[in-house]
Coordinates of all heavy atoms in Angstrom, one line a residue:
M1 N 47.5 -68.0 -52.7 CA 47.2 -68.5 -54.0 C 48.2 -67.9 -55.0 O 48.5 -66.7 -55.0 CB 45.8 -68.0 -54.3 CG 45.3 -68.4 -55.7 SD 43.6 -67.9 -56.1 CE 42.7 -68.3 -54.7
T2 N 48.7 -68.7 -55.9 CA 49.7 -68.3 -56.8 C 49.0 -67.6 -58.0 O 47.8 -67.8 -58.2 CB 50.5 -69.5 -57.4 OG1 49.6 -70.3 -58.1 CG2 51.2 -70.3 -56.2
S3 N 49.8 -66.9 -58.8 CA 49.2 -66.2 -60.0 C 48.7 -67.2 -61.0 O 47.7 -67.0 -61.7 CB 50.2 -65.3 -60.6 OG 51.4 -66.0 -61.0
K4 N 49.3 -68.4 -61.1 CA 48.8 -69.4 -62.0 C 47.5 -70.0 -61.6 O 46.6 -70.2 -62.4 CB 49.8 -70.6 -62.2 CG 51.0 -70.3 -63.1 CD 51.8 -71.6 -63.3 CE 52.8 -71.3 -64.3 NZ 53.5 -72.5 -64.7
Q5 N 47.3 -70.2 -60.3 CA 46.0 -70.7 -59.8 C 45.0 -69.6 -59.9 O 43.8 -69.9 -60.4 CB 46.2 -71.0 -58.3 CG 47.0 -72.2 -58.0 CD 47.4 -72.4 -56.5 OE1 47.4 -71.4 -55.8 NE2 47.7 -73.6 -56.1
R6 N 45.3 -68.4 -59.7 CA 44.4 -67.3 -59.8 C 43.9 -67.1 -61.3 O 42.8 -67.0 -61.6 CB 45.0 -66.0 -59.4 CG 44.1 -64.8 -59.2 CD 44.8 -63.6 -58.7 NE 45.5 -63.8 -57.4 CZ 45.0 -63.8 -56.2 NH1 43.7 -63.6 -56.1 NH2 45.7 -64.0 -55.1
A7 N 44.9 -67.3 -62.2 CA 44.6 -67.2 -63.7 C 43.6 -68.3 -64.1 O 42.7 -68.1 -64.9 CB 45.9 -67.3 -64.5
A8 N 43.9 -69.5 -63.6 CA 43.0 -70.7 -63.9 C 41.6 -70.4 -63.4 O 40.6 -70.7 -64.1 CB 43.6 -72.0 -63.3
L9 N 41.5 -69.9 -62.2 CA 40.2 -69.6 -61.6 C 39.5 -68.5 -62.4 O 38.2 -68.6 -62.6 CB 40.3 -69.2 -60.1 CG 40.7 -70.4 -59.2 CD1 40.9 -69.8 -57.8 CD2 39.6 -71.4 -59.1
R10 N 40.2 -67.5 -62.8 CA 39.6 -66.4 -63.6 C 39.1 -67.0 -64.9 O 38.0 -66.6 -65.4 CB 40.7 -65.4 -64.0 CG 40.9 -64.4 -62.9 CD 41.7 -63.2 -63.4 NE 42.8 -63.5 -64.3 CZ 44.1 -63.5 -63.9 NH1 44.4 -63.2 -62.6 NH2 45.0 -63.7 -64.8
G11 N 39.8 -67.9 -65.5 CA 39.3 -68.6 -66.7 C 38.0 -69.4 -66.5 O 37.1 -69.3 -67.4
M12 N 37.9 -70.0 -65.4 CA 36.7 -70.8 -65.1 C 35.5 -69.9 -64.8 O 34.4 -70.2 -65.1 CB 37.0 -71.7 -63.9 CG 38.0 -72.8 -64.2 SD 38.2 -73.9 -62.9 CE 37.0 -75.1 -63.4
A13 N 35.8 -68.7 -64.2 CA 34.7 -67.8 -63.9 C 34.3 -66.9 -65.1 O 33.3 -66.3 -65.0 CB 35.2 -66.8 -62.8
N14 N 35.1 -67.0 -66.2 CA 34.8 -66.2 -67.3 C 33.4 -66.3 -67.9 O 32.7 -65.4 -68.3 CB 35.8 -66.4 -68.4 CG 35.8 -65.5 -69.5 OD1 35.4 -64.3 -69.3 ND2 36.2 -65.9 -70.7
T15 N 32.9 -67.5 -67.9 CA 31.6 -67.8 -68.5 C 30.5 -67.8 -67.4 O 29.3 -68.0 -67.8 CB 31.6 -69.2 -69.2 OG1 31.9 -70.2 -68.2 CG2 32.6 -69.2 -70.3
M16 N 30.8 -67.6 -66.2 CA 29.8 -67.6 -65.1 C 28.9 -66.3 -65.2 O 29.4 -65.2 -65.6 CB 30.4 -67.6 -63.7 CG 31.1 -68.9 -63.4 SD 31.8 -68.7 -61.8 CE 31.4 -70.2 -61.0
E17 N 27.7 -66.4 -64.8 CA 26.8 -65.3 -64.6 C 26.9 -64.9 -63.1 O 27.1 -65.7 -62.2 CB 25.4 -65.6 -64.9 CG 25.2 -65.8 -66.4 CD 25.5 -64.5 -67.2 OE1 25.1 -63.5 -66.8 OE2 26.1 -64.7 -68.3
P18 N 26.7 -63.6 -62.8 CA 26.7 -63.2 -61.4 C 25.6 -63.8 -60.6 O 24.4 -63.9 -61.1 CB 26.5 -61.6 -61.5 CG 27.0 -61.3 -62.8 CD 26.7 -62.4 -63.7
V19 N 25.8 -64.3 -59.4 CA 24.8 -64.9 -58.6 C 24.2 -63.9 -57.6 O 23.1 -64.2 -57.0 CB 25.3 -66.2 -57.9 CG1 25.6 -67.3 -58.9 CG2 26.5 -65.9 -57.1
F20 N 24.9 -62.8 -57.3 CA 24.4 -61.8 -56.4 C 24.6 -60.4 -57.1 O 25.6 -60.2 -57.8 CB 25.1 -61.8 -55.1 CG 24.6 -62.9 -54.2 CD1 25.2 -64.1 -54.1 CD2 23.5 -62.7 -53.3 CE1 24.7 -65.1 -53.3 CE2 23.0 -63.6 -52.5 CZ 23.6 -64.9 -52.5
Q21 N 23.7 -59.5 -56.7 CA 23.9 -58.1 -57.1 C 23.9 -57.2 -55.9 O 23.0 -57.4 -55.0 CB 22.8 -57.6 -58.1 CG 22.8 -58.4 -59.4 CD 21.7 -57.8 -60.3 OE1 20.7 -57.2 -59.9 NE2 21.8 -58.2 -61.6
I22 N 24.8 -56.3 -55.8 CA 24.9 -55.4 -54.7 C 24.3 -54.1 -55.1 O 24.9 -53.4 -56.0 CB 26.3 -55.3 -54.2 CG1 26.8 -56.7 -53.7 CG2 26.4 -54.3 -53.0 CD1 28.3 -56.8 -53.4
G23 N 23.2 -53.7 -54.5 CA 22.5 -52.5 -54.9 C 22.8 -51.3 -54.0 O 23.9 -51.2 -53.4
K24 N 21.8 -50.4 -53.9 CA 22.1 -49.2 -53.1 C 22.1 -49.4 -51.6 O 22.5 -48.5 -50.9 CB 21.0 -48.1 -53.5 CG 19.6 -48.4 -53.1 CD 18.7 -47.3 -53.6 CE 17.3 -47.6 -53.3 NZ 16.4 -46.5 -53.6
G25 N 21.6 -50.5 -51.1 CA 21.7 -50.8 -49.7 C 23.1 -51.1 -49.2 O 24.0 -51.3 -50.0
E26 N 23.2 -51.2 -47.9 CA 24.5 -51.6 -47.4 C 24.8 -53.1 -47.5 O 23.8 -53.8 -47.8 CB 24.6 -51.3 -45.9 CG 24.6 -49.8 -45.6 CD 24.8 -49.6 -44.1 OE1 25.2 -50.5 -43.4 OE2 24.6 -48.4 -43.6
I27 N 26.0 -53.5 -47.4 CA 26.3 -54.9 -47.3 C 26.0 -55.3 -45.9 O 26.8 -55.1 -45.0 CB 27.8 -55.1 -47.7 CG1 28.0 -54.7 -49.2 CG2 28.2 -56.6 -47.5 CD1 29.4 -54.8 -49.7
D28 N 24.9 -55.9 -45.7 CA 24.4 -56.3 -44.4 C 24.6 -57.8 -44.1 O 25.1 -58.5 -44.9 CB 23.0 -55.8 -44.2 CG 22.0 -56.4 -45.2 OD1 22.5 -57.2 -46.0 OD2 20.8 -56.1 -45.1
E29 N 24.2 -58.2 -42.9 CA 24.3 -59.6 -42.5 C 23.5 -60.5 -43.4 O 24.0 -61.6 -43.6 CB 23.8 -59.7 -41.0 CG 24.7 -59.1 -40.0 CD 26.1 -59.7 -40.0 OE1 26.3 -60.9 -40.1 OE2 27.1 -58.9 -40.0
T30 N 22.4 -60.1 -43.9 CA 21.6 -60.9 -44.8 C 22.4 -61.2 -46.1 O 22.4 -62.4 -46.5 CB 20.3 -60.3 -45.2 OG1 19.6 -59.9 -43.9 CG2 19.4 -61.2 -46.0
L31 N 23.0 -60.2 -46.7 CA 23.7 -60.4 -47.9 C 25.0 -61.3 -47.6 O 25.3 -62.2 -48.4 CB 24.2 -59.1 -48.5 CG 25.1 -59.2 -49.7 CD1 24.3 -59.7 -50.9 CD2 25.6 -57.8 -50.1
I32 N 25.7 -61.0 -46.5 CA 26.8 -61.8 -46.2 C 26.5 -63.2 -46.0 O 27.2 -64.1 -46.4 CB 27.5 -61.2 -44.9 CG1 28.1 -59.8 -45.2 CG2 28.6 -62.1 -44.3 CD1 28.6 -59.0 -44.1
K33 N 25.4 -63.5 -45.3 CA 24.9 -64.9 -45.1 C 24.6 -65.6 -46.4 O 25.0 -66.7 -46.6 CB 23.7 -64.9 -44.1 CG 23.1 -66.2 -43.9 CD 23.8 -67.0 -42.9 CE 23.0 -68.3 -42.5 NZ 23.6 -69.5 -43.0
G34 N 23.9 -64.9 -47.3 CA 23.6 -65.4 -48.6 C 24.8 -65.8 -49.4 O 24.9 -66.8 -50.0
V35 N 25.8 -64.8 -49.4 CA 27.0 -65.1 -50.2 C 27.8 -66.2 -49.5 O 28.4 -67.1 -50.2 CB 27.9 -63.8 -50.2 CG1 29.3 -64.0 -50.8 CG2 27.2 -62.7 -51.0
D36 N 27.9 -66.3 -48.2 CA 28.6 -67.3 -47.5 C 27.9 -68.7 -47.9 O 28.7 -69.7 -48.2 CB 28.5 -67.1 -46.0 CG 29.4 -68.1 -45.2 OD1 30.6 -68.3 -45.6 OD2 28.9 -68.6 -44.2
D37 N 26.6 -68.8 -47.8 CA 26.0 -70.1 -48.2 C 26.2 -70.5 -49.6 O 26.5 -71.6 -49.9 CB 24.4 -69.9 -48.0 CG 24.1 -69.8 -46.5 OD1 24.9 -70.2 -45.6 OD2 22.9 -69.4 -46.2
C38 N 26.2 -69.5 -50.5 CA 26.5 -69.8 -51.9 C 27.9 -70.2 -52.2 O 28.1 -71.2 -52.9 CB 26.1 -68.5 -52.7 SG 26.2 -68.8 -54.5
I39 N 28.8 -69.6 -51.5 CA 30.2 -69.9 -51.8 C 30.6 -71.3 -51.1 O 31.4 -72.0 -51.6 CB 31.2 -68.8 -51.3 CG1 32.5 -68.9 -52.1 CG2 31.5 -68.9 -49.8 CD1 33.4 -67.7 -52.0
K40 N 29.8 -71.7 -50.0 CA 30.0 -73.0 -49.5 C 29.6 -74.1 -50.5 O 30.3 -75.1 -50.5 CB 29.1 -73.2 -48.2 CG 29.7 -72.6 -47.0 CD 28.7 -72.8 -45.8 CE 29.2 -72.0 -44.6 NZ 28.2 -72.0 -43.5
A41 N 28.6 -73.8 -51.2 CA 28.1 -74.8 -52.2 C 28.9 -74.8 -53.5 O 29.2 -75.9 -54.1 CB 26.6 -74.5 -52.5
R42 N 29.3 -73.6 -54.0 CA 29.9 -73.5 -55.3 C 31.4 -73.3 -55.3 O 32.1 -73.5 -56.3 CB 29.3 -72.4 -56.0 CG 27.8 -72.5 -56.3 CD 27.4 -71.4 -57.1 NE 25.9 -71.5 -57.4 CZ 25.3 -70.9 -58.4 NH1 26.0 -70.1 -59.2 NH2 24.0 -71.0 -58.5
E43 N 32.0 -72.8 -54.2 CA 33.4 -72.5 -54.1 C 33.8 -71.2 -54.9 O 34.6 -70.4 -54.4 CB 34.3 -73.6 -54.5 CG 34.3 -74.8 -53.6 CD 35.2 -75.9 -54.1 OE1 34.8 -76.7 -54.9 OE2 36.3 -75.9 -53.6
L44 N 33.4 -71.1 -56.1 CA 33.7 -70.0 -57.0 C 32.5 -69.3 -57.4 O 31.6 -69.9 -58.0 CB 34.5 -70.5 -58.2 CG 35.1 -69.5 -59.2 CD1 36.2 -68.7 -58.6 CD2 35.6 -70.2 -60.5
I45 N 32.4 -68.0 -57.1 CA 31.1 -67.2 -57.5 C 31.5 -65.8 -58.0 O 32.6 -65.3 -57.7 CB 30.2 -67.0 -56.3 CG1 30.8 -66.3 -55.2 CG2 29.6 -68.4 -55.8 CD1 29.9 -65.9 -54.0
K46 N 30.6 -65.3 -58.9 CA 30.8 -64.0 -59.4 C 29.6 -63.1 -58.9 O 28.5 -63.6 -58.8 CB 30.7 -64.1 -61.0 CG 31.0 -62.7 -61.7 CD 30.8 -62.8 -63.2 CE 32.0 -63.5 -63.8 NZ 32.0 -63.4 -65.3
L47 N 30.0 -61.9 -58.6 CA 29.0 -60.9 -58.1 C 29.1 -59.6 -58.9 O 30.1 -59.4 -59.5 CB 29.3 -60.6 -56.6 CG 29.2 -61.8 -55.7 CD1 30.5 -62.4 -55.4 CD2 28.6 -61.3 -54.3
K48 N 28.0 -58.9 -58.8 CA 28.0 -57.6 -59.6 C 27.5 -56.5 -58.7 O 26.6 -56.6 -57.9 CB 26.9 -57.7 -60.8 CG 26.8 -56.5 -61.6 CD 25.9 -56.8 -62.8 CE 25.8 -55.5 -63.6 NZ 25.0 -55.7 -64.8
V49 N 28.2 -55.3 -58.8 CA 27.8 -54.1 -58.1 C 27.0 -53.2 -59.0 O 27.5 -52.9 -60.1 CB 29.1 -53.4 -57.6 CG1 28.7 -52.1 -56.8 CG2 29.9 -54.3 -56.7
L50 N 25.8 -52.9 -58.7 CA 25.0 -52.0 -59.5 C 25.4 -50.6 -59.5 O 26.1 -50.2 -58.5 CB 23.5 -52.1 -59.1 CG 22.9 -53.5 -59.1 CD1 21.5 -53.5 -58.6 CD2 22.9 -54.1 -60.5
E51 N 25.1 -49.8 -60.5 CA 25.5 -48.4 -60.6 C 25.1 -47.6 -59.4 O 25.7 -46.6 -59.1 CB 25.1 -47.8 -61.9 CG 25.9 -48.4 -63.1 CD 25.5 -47.7 -64.4 OE1 25.1 -46.6 -64.4 OE2 25.7 -48.4 -65.4
N52 N 23.9 -47.9 -58.9 CA 23.4 -47.1 -57.8 C 23.9 -47.4 -56.4 O 23.5 -46.9 -55.4 CB 21.8 -47.1 -57.8 CG 21.3 -48.5 -57.5 OD1 22.0 -49.5 -57.5 ND2 20.0 -48.6 -57.3
S53 N 24.9 -48.4 -56.4 CA 25.4 -48.8 -55.1 C 26.4 -47.7 -54.6 O 27.1 -47.0 -55.3 CB 26.2 -50.1 -55.3 OG 26.8 -50.5 -54.1
E54 N 26.5 -47.7 -53.2 CA 27.5 -46.8 -52.6 C 28.9 -47.3 -52.6 O 29.8 -46.6 -52.3 CB 27.1 -46.4 -51.2 CG 27.0 -47.7 -50.3 CD 26.4 -47.4 -48.9 OE1 25.1 -47.2 -48.9 OE2 27.1 -47.3 -48.0
Y55 N 29.0 -48.6 -53.0 CA 30.3 -49.3 -53.1 C 30.8 -49.4 -54.5 O 30.0 -49.5 -55.4 CB 30.2 -50.7 -52.5 CG 29.7 -50.7 -51.1 CD1 28.4 -51.1 -50.9 CD2 30.5 -50.5 -50.0 CE1 27.9 -51.1 -49.6 CE2 30.0 -50.5 -48.7 CZ 28.7 -50.9 -48.5 OH 28.2 -50.9 -47.2
D56 N 32.1 -49.4 -54.7 CA 32.6 -49.8 -56.0 C 33.0 -51.3 -55.9 O 32.9 -51.9 -54.8 CB 33.8 -49.0 -56.5 CG 35.1 -49.1 -55.6 OD1 35.2 -50.1 -54.9 OD2 35.9 -48.2 -55.8
A57 N 33.3 -52.0 -56.9 CA 33.5 -53.4 -56.9 C 34.7 -53.8 -56.0 O 34.5 -54.8 -55.3 CB 33.8 -53.9 -58.3
R58 N 35.7 -53.1 -56.0 CA 36.9 -53.4 -55.1 C 36.5 -53.3 -53.6 O 36.8 -54.2 -52.8 CB 38.1 -52.5 -55.4 CG 39.3 -52.6 -54.5 CD 39.8 -54.0 -54.4 NE 40.4 -54.4 -55.6 CZ 40.9 -55.7 -55.9 NH1 40.8 -56.6 -54.9 NH2 41.4 -56.0 -57.0
E59 N 35.8 -52.3 -53.2 CA 35.3 -52.1 -51.8 C 34.4 -53.3 -51.4 O 34.6 -53.8 -50.3 CB 34.6 -50.8 -51.6 CG 35.4 -49.6 -51.7 CD 34.6 -48.3 -51.7 OE1 33.4 -48.3 -52.2 OE2 35.1 -47.3 -51.3
A60 N 33.4 -53.6 -52.3 CA 32.5 -54.6 -52.0 C 33.2 -56.0 -51.8 O 33.0 -56.8 -50.9 CB 31.4 -54.7 -53.0
A61 N 34.2 -56.2 -52.8 CA 34.9 -57.5 -52.7 C 35.8 -57.6 -51.4 O 35.8 -58.6 -50.8 CB 35.9 -57.6 -53.9
D62 N 36.4 -56.5 -51.0 CA 37.2 -56.5 -49.8 C 36.3 -56.7 -48.6 O 36.7 -57.5 -47.7 CB 38.0 -55.2 -49.7 CG 39.1 -55.0 -50.7 OD1 39.5 -56.1 -51.3 OD2 39.6 -53.9 -50.9
I63 N 35.2 -56.1 -48.5 CA 34.3 -56.3 -47.4 C 33.8 -57.7 -47.3 O 33.8 -58.3 -46.2 CB 33.1 -55.3 -47.5 CG1 33.6 -53.8 -47.3 CG2 32.0 -55.6 -46.4 CD1 32.5 -52.8 -47.6
L64 N 33.4 -58.3 -48.4 CA 32.9 -59.6 -48.4 C 34.0 -60.7 -48.1 O 33.8 -61.6 -47.4 CB 32.1 -59.9 -49.7 CG 30.8 -59.3 -49.9 CD1 30.3 -59.5 -51.3 CD2 29.8 -59.8 -48.9
C65 N 35.1 -60.4 -48.7 CA 36.3 -61.4 -48.5 C 36.6 -61.4 -47.0 O 36.8 -62.5 -46.4 CB 37.5 -60.9 -49.2 SG 37.4 -61.4 -51.0
E66 N 36.6 -60.3 -46.3 CA 36.9 -60.3 -44.9 C 35.8 -60.9 -44.1 O 36.1 -61.7 -43.2 CB 37.1 -58.8 -44.5 CG 37.6 -58.7 -43.0 CD 37.9 -57.3 -42.6 OE1 38.4 -56.5 -43.5 OE2 37.6 -57.0 -41.4
A67 N 34.6 -60.7 -44.5 CA 33.5 -61.2 -43.7 C 33.3 -62.7 -43.8 O 32.9 -63.4 -42.9 CB 32.2 -60.5 -44.2
I68 N 33.6 -63.3 -45.0 CA 33.4 -64.7 -45.2 C 34.7 -65.5 -45.4 O 34.6 -66.7 -45.7 CB 32.4 -65.0 -46.4 CG1 33.1 -64.5 -47.7 CG2 31.1 -64.3 -46.2 CD1 32.3 -65.0 -49.0
H69 N 35.8 -64.9 -45.2 CA 37.1 -65.5 -45.3 C 37.3 -66.2 -46.6 O 37.7 -67.3 -46.7 CB 37.3 -66.5 -44.2 CG 37.0 -66.0 -42.8 ND1 37.8 -65.0 -42.2 CD2 35.9 -66.2 -42.0 CE1 37.3 -64.7 -41.0 NE2 36.1 -65.4 -40.9
A70 N 37.1 -65.4 -47.7 CA 37.3 -65.9 -49.1 C 38.4 -65.1 -49.7 O 39.0 -64.1 -49.1 CB 36.0 -65.7 -49.9
E71 N 38.8 -65.4 -50.9 CA 39.8 -64.7 -51.6 C 39.2 -64.1 -52.9 O 38.4 -64.7 -53.5 CB 40.9 -65.7 -52.1 CG 41.8 -66.2 -50.9 CD 43.0 -66.9 -51.4 OE1 43.8 -66.3 -52.1 OE2 43.1 -68.1 -51.0
C72 N 39.6 -62.9 -53.1 CA 39.2 -62.2 -54.3 C 40.1 -62.6 -55.5 O 41.3 -62.5 -55.4 CB 39.2 -60.7 -54.2 SG 38.6 -59.8 -55.6
V73 N 39.5 -63.2 -56.5 CA 40.2 -63.7 -57.7 C 40.4 -62.6 -58.7 O 41.5 -62.5 -59.3 CB 39.5 -64.9 -58.3 CG1 40.2 -65.4 -59.6 CG2 39.4 -66.1 -57.3
Q74 N 39.4 -61.8 -58.9 CA 39.4 -60.8 -60.0 C 38.4 -59.7 -59.7 O 37.3 -60.0 -59.2 CB 39.1 -61.6 -61.3 CG 39.0 -60.7 -62.5 CD 38.7 -61.5 -63.7 OE1 37.9 -62.5 -63.6 NE2 39.3 -61.2 -64.8
V75 N 38.7 -58.5 -60.1 CA 37.8 -57.4 -60.1 C 37.9 -56.8 -61.5 O 39.0 -56.3 -61.9 CB 38.1 -56.3 -59.0 CG1 37.1 -55.2 -59.1 CG2 38.0 -57.0 -57.7
I76 N 36.8 -56.7 -62.2 CA 36.8 -56.1 -63.5 C 35.5 -55.3 -63.6 O 34.4 -55.8 -63.5 CB 36.8 -57.1 -64.7 CG1 38.1 -57.8 -64.8 CG2 36.5 -56.4 -66.0 CD1 38.3 -58.8 -65.9
G77 N 35.7 -54.0 -63.8 CA 34.5 -53.1 -63.9 C 33.7 -53.2 -62.6 O 34.1 -52.9 -61.5
R78 N 32.4 -53.6 -62.8 CA 31.5 -53.7 -61.7 C 31.3 -55.1 -61.2 O 30.4 -55.4 -60.4 CB 30.2 -53.0 -62.1 CG 30.3 -51.6 -62.4 CD 28.9 -50.9 -62.4 NE 29.1 -49.5 -62.0 CZ 29.2 -49.0 -60.8 NH1 29.1 -49.8 -59.8 NH2 29.3 -47.7 -60.6
K79 N 32.1 -56.0 -61.8 CA 32.0 -57.4 -61.4 C 33.2 -57.9 -60.7 O 34.3 -57.4 -60.9 CB 31.7 -58.3 -62.6 CG 30.4 -58.0 -63.3 CD 30.2 -58.8 -64.5 CE 28.9 -58.5 -65.2 NZ 28.8 -59.2 -66.5
F80 N 33.0 -58.9 -59.8 CA 34.2 -59.5 -59.1 C 33.9 -60.9 -58.8 O 32.8 -61.4 -58.8 CB 34.6 -58.7 -57.8 CG 33.5 -58.6 -56.8 CD1 33.5 -59.5 -55.7 CD2 32.5 -57.6 -56.8 CE1 32.5 -59.4 -54.7 CE2 31.6 -57.5 -55.8 CZ 31.6 -58.4 -54.8
V81 N 35.0 -61.7 -58.6 CA 34.9 -63.1 -58.4 C 35.6 -63.5 -57.1 O 36.7 -63.0 -56.8 CB 35.7 -63.9 -59.6 CG1 35.6 -65.4 -59.4 CG2 35.1 -63.5 -60.9
L82 N 34.9 -64.3 -56.3 CA 35.4 -64.7 -55.0 C 35.5 -66.2 -55.0 O 34.8 -66.9 -55.7 CB 34.4 -64.3 -53.9 CG 34.1 -62.9 -53.7 CD1 33.1 -62.7 -52.6 CD2 35.3 -62.1 -53.5
F83 N 36.5 -66.7 -54.3 CA 36.8 -68.1 -54.2 C 37.1 -68.5 -52.7 O 37.8 -67.8 -52.0 CB 38.0 -68.5 -55.0 CG 38.4 -69.9 -54.9 CD1 37.7 -70.9 -55.5 CD2 39.6 -70.3 -54.2 CE1 38.1 -72.3 -55.4 CE2 39.9 -71.6 -54.1 CZ 39.2 -72.6 -54.7
R84 N 36.5 -69.6 -52.3 CA 36.9 -70.2 -51.0 C 36.8 -71.7 -51.2 O 35.8 -72.3 -51.5 CB 35.9 -69.8 -49.9 CG 36.4 -70.3 -48.6 CD 35.6 -69.7 -47.4 NE 34.2 -70.3 -47.5 CZ 33.2 -69.9 -46.8 NH1 33.2 -68.7 -46.2 NH2 32.0 -70.5 -46.9
K85 N 38.0 -72.4 -51.0 CA 38.1 -73.8 -51.2 C 37.3 -74.6 -50.1 O 37.4 -74.2 -48.9 CB 39.5 -74.2 -51.2 CG 39.8 -75.7 -51.5 CD 41.3 -75.9 -51.5 CE 41.6 -77.4 -51.7 NZ 41.3 -78.2 -50.5
K86 N 36.6 -75.6 -50.5 CA 35.9 -76.5 -49.6 C 36.9 -77.3 -48.8 O 38.0 -77.7 -49.4 CB 35.0 -77.4 -50.3 CG 33.7 -76.8 -50.8 CD 32.9 -77.9 -51.5 CE 31.6 -77.4 -52.1 NZ 30.9 -78.4 -52.7
P87 N 36.7 -77.5 -47.5 CA 37.7 -78.3 -46.8 C 37.8 -79.8 -47.3 O 38.8 -80.4 -47.3 CB 37.1 -78.4 -45.3 CG 36.0 -77.4 -45.3 CD 35.6 -77.0 -46.7
K88 N 36.7 -80.3 -47.8 CA 36.6 -81.7 -48.3 C 36.0 -81.6 -49.7 O 35.1 -80.8 -49.9 CB 35.8 -82.6 -47.4 CG 36.4 -82.8 -46.0 CD 35.6 -83.7 -45.2 CE 36.2 -83.9 -43.8 NZ 35.3 -84.7 -43.0
E89 N 36.4 -82.5 -50.6 CA 35.7 -82.7 -51.9 C 35.7 -81.5 -52.7 O 34.7 -81.1 -53.3 CB 34.3 -83.3 -51.7 CG 34.3 -84.6 -51.0 CD 32.9 -85.2 -50.7 OE1 32.0 -84.6 -51.2 OE2 32.8 -86.1 -49.9
S90 N 36.8 -80.8 -52.8 CA 36.8 -79.5 -53.6 C 36.8 -79.9 -55.1 O 37.5 -80.8 -55.5 CB 38.1 -78.7 -53.3 OG 38.2 -77.7 -54.2
A91 N 36.0 -79.2 -55.9 CA 36.0 -79.4 -57.3 C 37.2 -78.8 -58.0 O 37.5 -79.1 -59.1 CB 34.7 -78.7 -57.9
Y92 N 38.0 -78.0 -57.2 CA 39.1 -77.3 -57.8 C 40.4 -77.9 -57.2 O 41.5 -77.2 -57.4 CB 39.0 -75.8 -57.5 CG 37.8 -75.2 -58.1 CD1 36.6 -75.1 -57.3 CD2 37.7 -74.8 -59.4 CE1 35.5 -74.6 -57.9 CE2 36.6 -74.3 -60.0 CZ 35.5 -74.2 -59.2 OH 34.3 -73.6 -59.8
V93 N 40.4 -79.0 -56.6 CA 41.6 -79.6 -56.0 C 42.8 -79.8 -56.9 O 43.9 -79.5 -56.6 CB 41.3 -80.8 -55.2 CG1 41.0 -82.0 -56.0 CG2 42.4 -81.1 -54.2
E94 N 42.5 -80.3 -58.1 CA 43.6 -80.6 -59.1 C 44.1 -79.2 -59.6 O 45.3 -79.1 -59.8 CB 43.0 -81.4 -60.3 CG 42.7 -82.8 -60.0 CD 44.0 -83.6 -59.5 OE1 45.0 -83.4 -60.0 OE2 43.8 -84.3 -58.5
L95 N 43.3 -78.3 -59.8 CA 43.7 -77.0 -60.3 C 44.6 -76.3 -59.3 O 45.6 -75.6 -59.6 CB 42.4 -76.1 -60.5 CG 42.6 -74.7 -61.0 CD1 43.1 -74.7 -62.4 CD2 41.3 -73.9 -60.8
L96 N 44.3 -76.4 -58.0 CA 45.0 -75.7 -57.0 C 46.3 -76.4 -56.6 O 47.2 -75.9 -55.9 CB 44.2 -75.5 -55.7 CG 43.0 -74.6 -55.9 CD1 42.1 -74.6 -54.7 CD2 43.4 -73.2 -56.3
K97 N 46.6 -77.6 -57.1 CA 47.8 -78.3 -56.8 C 48.9 -77.8 -57.7 O 50.1 -77.9 -57.4 CB 47.7 -79.8 -57.1 CG 46.9 -80.6 -56.1 CD 46.9 -82.0 -56.4 CE 46.2 -82.8 -55.3 NZ 46.1 -84.2 -55.6
K98 N 48.6 -77.1 -58.8 CA 49.6 -76.6 -59.7 C 50.4 -75.5 -59.2 O 50.0 -74.7 -58.4 CB 48.9 -76.2 -61.0 CG 48.3 -77.3 -61.8 CD 47.6 -76.9 -63.0 CE 46.9 -78.0 -63.7 NZ 46.2 -77.6 -64.9

């Protein structure tokens, strides 16, 4: 992904609310499955790491990216944005052509 594509995705994620929160428990199969299902439907999602979590945002993003084969678009504070393009009918196809 190019820096221009990443910047455009960051802009789109700016107004999004986090769809998952990572708390004091581990990042387990249930959370991974939920995030995978959500990213299949939405392509671009924002997540939040709570203060009582054993992970920081970068660690959580890296673990989830590897588990669900997504790309980390941005990490700011305790929030991060993940992206995985749909094989067909992507809402971001025009954006990613640039």
Side-chain angles (χ1 to χ4, degrees):
M1 180 181 310
T2 67
S3 61
K4 280 189 173 188
Q5 292 169 335
R6 192 176 307 278
L9 289 171
R10 279 196 315 260
M12 297 184 89
N14 191 27
T15 58
M16 292 177 135
E17 289 296 318
V19 292
F20 281 95
Q21 294 182 344
I22 300 170
K24 66 181 178 178
E26 290 187 16
I27 296 177
D28 58 1
E29 290 300 317
T30 306
L31 177 67
I32 292 170
K33 174 80 169 110
V35 171
D36 189 46
D37 290 344
C38 187
I39 207 164
K40 279 180 189 173
R42 297 184 182 202
E43 294 182 273
L44 185 68
I45 61 172
K46 186 183 282 189
L47 297 94
K48 181 177 182 177
V49 178
L50 300 177
E51 288 185 26
N52 64 351
S53 177
E54 62 189 73
Y55 303 99
D56 65 17
R58 173 58 65 188
E59 290 172 331
D62 290 343
I63 292 167
L64 286 171
C65 283
E66 186 175 324
I68 65 171
H69 308 291
E71 291 191 57
C72 183
V73 174
Q74 178 180 39
V75 177
I76 292 184
R78 299 198 151 274
K79 295 180 184 175
F80 59 97
V81 178
L82 300 181
F83 176 74
R84 186 174 72 198
K85 185 177 176 286
K86 287 182 183 177
K88 297 179 181 176
E89 301 174 13
S90 173
Y92 301 94
V93 72
E94 289 300 318
L95 176 74
L96 295 174
K97 283 183 181 179
K98 296 178 182 178

